[in-house]
Amino acid sequence: MARHDKRLKLHGFNNLTKSLSFNIYDICYAPSEQHRGEYIEYIDEAYNAERLTQILTEVANIIGANILDISRQDYDPQGASVTMLISEEPIATEKIGYTEGPGPGPLPETVLAHLDKSHITVHTYPESHPAGGISTFRADIDVSTCGRISPLRALNFLIHSLESDIVIMDYRVRGFTRDIRGKKHFIDHKINSIQNFLSRDTQDRYQMVDVNVYQEYLFHTKMLIKEFDIDQYLFGMGKEDYSPKELKRIERLLQREMAEIFYGKNVGRI
């Protein structure tokens, strides 16, 4: 029996733009000014521009993209950014010959590439406030591709690569592409939730909420870590350094911080 090929036969290049955006949060309790400073230093070292470049390079490999250019920066006093220009098509080089007669000499090789308006970016925002002793690290990641390659393939790798108590994700498909008959296609793959593309261990680790607008090809998923071990959130100190009463108070502070970020609104004082 002949195999039925369900792939779309397109006229020209696939012009669909697929964008995946992350907000990833890591939270800890750092009560003293010294501990807060040490936390910021730890985050800046763990997620500096060089490490973030390594993560984004692996993302490009996973989704099958070719890296055209990288720009990165560490900031003072804290934070880092990396922007990576990528393409679906491989970079091609072509020798265009030499100049005859008196002139500037041999011409350099010309680099030719199809720029697909694709990019990967990451920006980090470590922050703390002395009022409650809570420090929060946020990383904003955007993976935007044009063509057949999909940022969803890097979903699980990104979640596993960053310490994440809360993950807020948006996925959107924009534009359209035409098949050989001229019919427009506004999406080229099946999806009803970002959760469809999450690994089983990620689904088991987080509680999730979806807000999807199917007619607009817009998908939104929020994830909050399920298990809470307060010893994992005490920066520079351990449970033995606090009384049971104080640990209960700190636990309420941490859980309130997570709830406020997850639901996007402030709650009452504890």
Side-chain angles (χ1 to χ4, degrees):
M1 180 181 293
R3 181 182 176 186
H4 180 59
D5 190 351
K6 294 184 179 180
R7 291 179 298 175
L8 288 174
K9 290 183 170 54
L10 301 179
H11 173 74
F13 181 70
N14 186 333
N15 289 310
L16 289 169
T17 298
K18 302 157 190 170
S19 298
L20 179 65
S21 297
F22 284 81
N23 294 123
I24 291 177
Y25 297 87
D26 177 64
I27 298 162
C28 81
Y29 182 72
S32 70
E33 184 176 350
Q34 177 184 340
H35 288 143
R36 289 190 293 273
E38 290 172 352
Y39 174 75
I40 296 298
E41 289 180 8
Y42 159 73
I43 288 295
D44 263 5
E45 178 63 27
Y47 298 108
N48 58 31
E50 182 178 356
R51 164 93 193 287
L52 294 172
T53 300
Q54 294 171 356
I55 292 173
L56 297 196
T57 299
E58 185 61 26
V59 169
N61 292 334
I62 290 171
I63 66 177
N66 299 281
I67 299 172
L68 302 179
D69 188 54
I70 300 173
S71 177
R72 66 188 189 188
Q73 180 67 51
D74 288 302
Y75 297 108
D76 186 12
Q78 65 232 16
S81 294
V82 179
T83 298
M84 185 175 288
L85 181 65
I86 60 175
S87 74
E88 178 182 4
E89 302 298 329
I91 301 173
T93 60
E94 175 188 355
K95 276 187 180 176
I96 59 177
Y98 300 92
T99 305
E100 294 185 5
L107 293 173
E109 290 185 345
T110 300
V111 177
L112 307 174
H114 186 96
L115 300 183
D116 300 337
K117 298 182 287 296
S118 302
H119 64 269
I120 310 173
T121 65
V122 59
H123 307 283
T124 66
Y125 304 89
E127 68 89 31
S128 64
H129 194 276
I134 301 294
S135 293
T136 303
F137 166 65
R138 182 178 110 236
D140 292 349
I141 303 171
D142 290 283
V143 185
S144 183
T145 66
C146 188
R148 296 183 301 273
I149 59 178
S150 171
L152 290 170
R153 294 176 62 182
L155 190 60
N156 294 291
F157 171 77
L158 284 169
I159 293 172
H160 285 89
S161 296
L162 299 166
E163 297 175 8
S164 312
D165 295 311
I166 299 162
V167 183
I168 299 175
M169 299 175 288
D170 294 288
Y171 177 67
R172 185 167 187 179
V173 181
R174 295 181 174 89
F176 65 87
T177 190
R178 295 182 188 271
D179 63 24
I180 56 177
R181 296 174 298 168
K183 179 182 177 182
K184 296 185 185 71
H185 294 268
F186 295 92
I187 194 166
D188 62 356
H189 60 289
K190 292 182 178 180
I191 178 174
N192 55 37
S193 170
I194 296 174
Q195 295 187 43
N196 298 154
F197 298 86
L198 293 173
S199 62
R200 173 53 59 187
D201 66 315
T202 298
Q203 293 182 42
D204 292 341
R205 190 179 177 200
Y206 293 90
Q207 67 181 64
M208 304 182 192
V209 174
D210 275 1
V211 181
N212 301 320
V213 185
Y214 300 108
Q215 64 270 30
E216 298 295 335
Y217 309 107
L218 178 61
F219 305 89
H220 177 78
T221 297
K222 297 194 292 187
M223 301 167 34
L224 177 64
I225 196 112
K226 290 179 180 178
E227 295 185 5
F228 185 88
D229 179 1
I230 193 170
D231 210 27
Q232 301 297 316
Y233 294 87
L234 302 175
F235 189 85
M237 301 179 74
K239 289 195 296 185
E240 66 279 0
D241 298 308
Y242 299 95
S243 68
K245 182 178 179 180
E246 185 68 3
L247 285 174
K248 285 290 185 183
R249 188 189 69 84
I250 295 170
E251 183 173 331
R252 290 197 301 270
L253 283 173
L254 289 165
Q255 291 183 332
R256 183 184 72 174
E257 180 81 357
M258 292 182 188
E260 289 182 341
I261 294 171
F262 185 74
Y263 293 107
K265 63 181 180 180
N266 293 306
V267 300
R269 299 175 68 88
I270 294 179

